[in-house]
């Protein structure tokens, strides 16, 4: 038997106990209550052997788990995890001692499992042996999915799924080697984290697959899959300057789908090599499998050696839409980065999950930018940061490094603050420290903690140590990690002395109506760019709030007063700014002197001023007219979501709606006319994305008749329906060449909005006949957009039929294409309320179907609400129902606050101009 030496275990126990203040009991202590947060560290696993018997055609799996543990002090109780398990037998055997039975019970809704012995278990090494069975889950743990008439079992253990698949210590701080074996039907294939070392007979019709031992891993990274998989060999990852050994690469896909993974496999090697070169550490595992899951709640999951993706990402190729193809690159680079950041080095507790997700978000942009510069991945990272600022402006937001006290808080950590704000903060400090020194800090951090766990403080220290001023850098970094909110910098130029000075006051950015405190102090890595008679200049400094109050000052290294000042050079800072009126006018006049990222940051300052109530409708529409002509897509289209909000909430009369729709057409019609509605051989990816965004704005918000007619005809032709052209008869076939892949979803949506039951029925029929998840998603989203109440009711009913729809397709039927761009309004108030009443009536049924994303149901319910009365009713309707739902309490708090803020902004802006000058 393999055991961890007691001395090492006790040191580890003490370290883990101190890693999170007040949570787990220290080594040797016995908790007096059920530990619904972190487990005590009195019993530590050193090795896990897991054998599972799985037949995807059956409703349950069975298994046996043997855990080698170190007991720090004698105890009769072992706390671990196991949720919904049927324990057949549990025993403990001290090394050299006598085996005794353990009584097992699930002690808490979080999945805490109590194992209790009749006699004390002595300190030292022991083995816990448990035989059990478990039902297959709903997109969590080990779950079943049906594709092409075949049954499969796939896993998704993060964050809390492992405890539903096997008993164990289901926290990221428990990291140990695993021996995994699968007993499966003879005709099926099985894969796991590591390479297969042998296959042996296991009784009539069964075989046993034994996999190589894993390195130290937490439970959330354990993965396996069983079914009639296509297993496709990809190009071997050849040795390079960092890695001396080749690595086998394979694609795992449902039966018949393996050839579709050609593009994904072909481009994996360059991503791995680029990340190895950055980290200076070889890919850490003995093989690399990419699994295309036909039903999966997340985009992808970074399981060590067996990364699982929504299948559409791995089926991308040269003919795919730009969104699907670029989505493959971004997601793949993200998940591969996790093999180092998250897998090789793991956070000890969920409060540090940003170490995984923010880093992978930042790293993906860097690597994709290096390998595919035409994708402009840095713009995507910036868009994510600006999106996160909306969430970060809420009173109910969370910190990047947020304490996690209960299991319902864990899923809340997987949000825009963790991924997008965290990634933006990393990018900001990389720019401030310098990319070479930043990379050296990352390499030191990974080498120091390889195979183990590490905290935020250890990463920040590694980065601070390579800076010119470690205490100041550490203080600045921690200021962004440990307090919520977006810094707001009010900037004014003062040229009264010989040297121009910027006077900078800071507070927390808040939208109009917010109840949050504006207090906040950050040491901001502020980079400014300005122009004067001598050219263009840039300067960076840590800018804080003076202890005695008043503005901070930043003396510009210039002898003349600047003609313009951009307070966020290259748009690289995670902060917002507002300029004094004369400075704002000068910056607007020199808009064309800004680089593309600065223009986008300027656009954000306009949008922020509107949401804070400092800019009225007329001012916003005037700025939107300038922004709509910006050369880069992200800046030009930045006003579109706010225009949709104005249509939904400010345009109260038909005349108002018509005026605002005409404004949309005037702003964006000429831009689309120049670009053209038909693709051109010279189109870049950005041209294609811009065309789609403009067509959507004009067709959905502007309701432009000719464009809608063209799109509806394309959608009908795609579906093989009559009326695709004057006098045209339908043939009932599916014609994917009727419209480009980029516009296909939009054409289907418009056809559904205008086509009634005939189009709706065709959408459902084509979805039922297809196994292509991309096409199915577009068809079902279009069906969910049908405006007729009877069709909406049919779409909602279909969402509950798991034989007809995959569980990750349920949200499409509940909200349809509203997920991409808001409609001007619901078809009518009664239809909107019918949707909400249905969600409330079926809430308890839907929660397990969409787990662990049950909090999103509250968000869907709240869509379109915009009054203080509605906010109160929302709180009353769901407060008790979300109490034990993963991410539910925070989702409700943010939904209620969002409704309240919407009402406050309507009160501020109602009655203003709705027509662009």
């Amino acid at each position: 038997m393999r055991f961890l030496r007691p001395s090492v275990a006790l040191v580890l126990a003490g370290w883990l106990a101190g890693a999170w203040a007040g949570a787990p009991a220290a080594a040797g202590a016995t908790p007096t209550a059920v530990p619904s947060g972190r487990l005590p560290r009195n019993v530590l696993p050193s090795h896990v052997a897991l054998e599972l018997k799985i037949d995807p055609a059956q409703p349950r799996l069975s298994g046996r788990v043997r855990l080698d543990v170190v007991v720090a002090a004698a105890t009769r109780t072992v706390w671990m995890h196991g949720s919904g398990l049927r324990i057949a037998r549990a025993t403990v055997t001290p090394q050299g001692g006598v085996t005794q039975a353990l009584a097992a019970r699930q002690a808490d809704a979080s999945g805490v499992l109590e194992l209790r012995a009749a006699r004390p278990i002595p300190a030292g090494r022991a083995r816990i042996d448990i035989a059990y069975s478990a039902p297959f889950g709903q997109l969590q743990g080990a779950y079943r999915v049906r594709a092409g008439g075949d049954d499969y079992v796939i896993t998704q253990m993060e964050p809390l799924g492992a405890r539903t698949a096997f008993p164990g210590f289901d926290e990221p701080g428990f990291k140990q080697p695993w021996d995994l074996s699968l007993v499966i039907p003879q005709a099926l294939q099985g894969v796991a984290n590591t390479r297969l070392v042998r296959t042996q007979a296991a009784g009539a019709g069964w075989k046993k697959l034994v996999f190589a031992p894993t390195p130290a891993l937490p439970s959330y990274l354990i993965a396996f899959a069983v079914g009639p998989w296509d297993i496709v060999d990809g190009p071997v990852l050849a040795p390079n300057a960092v890695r001396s050994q080749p690595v086998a690469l394979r694609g795992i896909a449902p039966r018949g789908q393996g050839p579709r993974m050609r593009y994904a496999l072909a481009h994996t090697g360059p991503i791995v090599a680029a990340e190895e070169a950055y980290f200076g550490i070889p890919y850490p595992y003995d093989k690399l499998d990419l699994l295309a899951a036909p039903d999966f709640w997340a985009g992808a999951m970074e399981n060590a050696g067996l990364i699982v993706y929504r299948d559409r990402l791995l089926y991308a190729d040269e003919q795919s839409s730009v969104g699907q193809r670029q989505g493959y690159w971004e997601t793949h680079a993200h998940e591969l980065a996790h093999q180092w950041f998250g897998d090789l080095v793991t956070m000890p507790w969920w409060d540090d999950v940003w170490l995984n997700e923010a880093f992978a978000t930042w790293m993906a942009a860097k690597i994709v930018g290096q390998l595919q510069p035409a994708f402009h991945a840095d713009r995507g990272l910036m868009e994510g940061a600006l999106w996160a600022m909306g969430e970060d402006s809420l009173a109910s937001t969370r910190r990047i490094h947020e304490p996690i006290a209960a299991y319902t808080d864990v899923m809340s950590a997987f949000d825009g603050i963790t991924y997008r704000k965290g990634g933006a903060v990393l990018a900001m400090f990389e720019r401030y420290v310098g990319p070479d020194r930043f990379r050296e800090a990352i390499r030191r951090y990974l080498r120091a903690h390889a195979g183990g766990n590490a905290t935020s403080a250890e990463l920040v220290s590694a980065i601070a140590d390579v800076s010119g001023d470690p205490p100041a850098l550490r203080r600045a970094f921690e200021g962004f990690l440990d307090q919520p909110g977006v810094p707001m910098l009010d900037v004014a130029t003062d040229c009264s002395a010989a040297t121009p000075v910027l006077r900078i006051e800071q507070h927390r950015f808040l939208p109009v109506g917010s109840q949050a405190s504006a207090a906040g102090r950050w040491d901001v890595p502020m980079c400014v760019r300005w122009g004067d008679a001598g050219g263009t200049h840039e300067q960076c400094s840590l800018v804080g709030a003076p202890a005695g109050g008043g503005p901070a000052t930043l003396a510009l290294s210039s002898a003349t007063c600047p003609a313009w000042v951009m307070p966020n050079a290259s748009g690289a800072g995670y902060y917002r700014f507002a300029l004094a009126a004369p400075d704002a006018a000068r910056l607007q006049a020199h808009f064309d002197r800004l680089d593309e990222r600065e223009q986008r940051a300027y656009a954000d300052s306009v949008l922020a001023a509107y949401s804070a109530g400092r800019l009225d409708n007329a001012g916003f529409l005037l700025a939107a007219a300038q922004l709509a002509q910006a050369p880069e897509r992200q800046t030009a289209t930045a006003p579109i979501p706010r225009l949709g909000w104005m249509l939904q909430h400010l345009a109260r009369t038909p005349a108002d709606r018509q005026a605002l729709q005409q404004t949309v057409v005037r702003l964006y019609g000429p831009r689309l006319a120049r670009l053209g509605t038909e693709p051109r051989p010279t189109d870049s990816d950005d041209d294609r994305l811009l065309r789609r965004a403009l067509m959507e704005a004009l067709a959905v918000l502007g309701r432009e008749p000719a464009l809608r007619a063209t799109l509806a005809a394309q959608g009908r032709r795609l579906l093989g329906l009559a009326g695709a052209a004057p006098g045209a008869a339908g043939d009932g076939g599916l014609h994917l060449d009727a419209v480009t892949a980029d516009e296909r979803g939009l054409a289907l949506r418009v056809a559904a909005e205008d086509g009634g039951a005939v189009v709706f029925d065709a959408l459902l029929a084509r979805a039922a006949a297809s196994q292509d998840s991309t096409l199915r998603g577009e068809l079902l989203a279009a069906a969910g957009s049908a405006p007729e109440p009877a069709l909406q009711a049919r779409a909602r009913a279909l969402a509950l039929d798991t034989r007809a729809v995959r569980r990750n397709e349920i949200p499409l039927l509940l909200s349809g294409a509203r997920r991409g761009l808001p409609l001007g309004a619901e078809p009518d108030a009664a239809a909107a309320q019918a949707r909400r009443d249905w969600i409330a009536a079926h809430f308890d049924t839907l929660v397990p179907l969409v787990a662990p994303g049950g909090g999103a149901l509250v968000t869907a319910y709240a869509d379109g609400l915009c009054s203080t009365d509605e906010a109160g009713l929302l709180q009353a309707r769901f407060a008790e129902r979300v109490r034990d739902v993963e991410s539910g309490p925070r989702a409700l708090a943010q939904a209620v606050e969002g409704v309240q803020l919407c009402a406050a902004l309507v009160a501020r802006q109602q009655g203003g101009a709705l027509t662009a000058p």
Side-chain angles (χ1 to χ4, degrees), residues 72 75 102 126 437 482 559 562 587 621 652 692 827 835:
T75 182
L102 295 170
R437 288 190 292 175
D482 292 329
L587 184 62
L621 292 173
R652 299 295 179 87
R692 164 61 191 255
R835 172 175 57 84

Side-chain angles (χ1 to χ4, degrees), residues 10 20 121 149 219 378 407 476 503 505 517 525 594 601 612 637 639 735 752 816 829:
L10 292 174
W20 184 60
I121 305 166
S219 55
D378 64 310
Y407 79 100
R503 300 196 179 278
E505 295 188 273
S517 170
L594 306 181
T637 59
H735 302 280

Side-chain angles (χ1 to χ4, degrees), residues 91-286:
T91 63
V92 61
T93 306
Q95 185 178 26
V98 177
T99 298
Q100 64 169 317
L102 295 170
R105 72 177 183 101
Q106 183 174 331
D108 187 76
S110 64
V112 173
L113 185 66
E114 181 185 27
L115 301 177
R116 190 159 184 83
R119 303 183 304 277
I121 305 166
R125 294 174 285 181
R127 169 167 289 175
I128 297 171
D129 193 336
I130 303 173
Y132 73 100
S133 68
F136 290 115
Q138 302 274 1
L139 300 188
Q140 280 281 283
Y143 67 93
R144 291 191 305 167
V145 60
R146 191 164 180 81
D150 294 316
D151 293 310
Y152 298 85
V153 168
I154 307 168
T155 58
Q156 171 58 34
M157 303 304 188
E158 189 181 36
L160 306 177
R163 64 192 64 182
T164 70
F166 49 82
F169 295 83
D170 188 21
E171 291 179 13
F174 294 112
K175 195 171 181 184
Q176 61 283 314
W178 298 68
D179 285 328
L180 180 63
S181 57
L182 301 175
V183 178
I184 65 174
Q186 192 70 244
L188 301 184
Q189 303 284 343
V191 293
N193 296 93
T194 53
R195 59 186 173 82
L196 180 67
V197 295
R198 67 178 181 276
T199 302
Q200 59 195 54
W206 295 85
K207 61 184 177 183
K208 182 176 180 179
L209 309 180
V210 180
F211 298 92
T214 75
L217 293 175
S219 55
Y220 82 85
L221 291 175
I222 296 302
F224 50 86
V226 177
W229 301 105
D230 281 358
I231 300 181
V232 181
D233 289 330
V236 172
L237 306 183
N240 55 35
V242 177
R243 175 173 36 81
S244 61
Q245 298 297 317
V247 174
L249 171 67
R250 303 187 303 176
I252 316 294
R255 193 201 306 264
Q257 303 300 310
R260 300 183 67 186
M261 299 187 71
R262 174 192 58 81
Y263 183 92
L265 292 169
H267 292 285
T268 297
I271 299 175
V272 173
E275 295 189 346
E276 288 177 318
Y278 185 88
F279 295 127
I281 297 173
Y283 170 78
Y285 303 107
D286 67 359

Side-chain angles (χ1 to χ4, degrees), residues 534-626:
T536 302
H537 316 274
E538 185 173 320
Q539 184 173 325
C540 298
S541 181
L542 280 179
V543 176
T553 58
L554 178 62
L556 300 180
S557 56
S558 179
T560 59
C561 194
W564 55 272
V565 173
M566 175 57 187
N568 192 353
S570 297
Y574 187 82
Y575 54 87
R576 283 176 161 155
F577 65 86
L579 287 162
D583 295 313
R586 287 192 290 268
L587 184 62
Q588 183 180 22
H590 291 85
F591 181 77
D592 60 347
R593 300 287 300 276
L594 306 181
D595 68 28
E596 62 186 46
R597 291 172 57 91
E598 290 168 346
Q599 289 186 351
R600 183 63 184 92
Y602 174 84
D604 176 69
S605 73
V606 170
L607 295 165
Y610 184 86
S611 67
R614 298 193 306 270
L615 186 67
D616 63 12
N617 291 344
F620 169 73
L621 292 173
L622 180 65
Q626 180 183 37

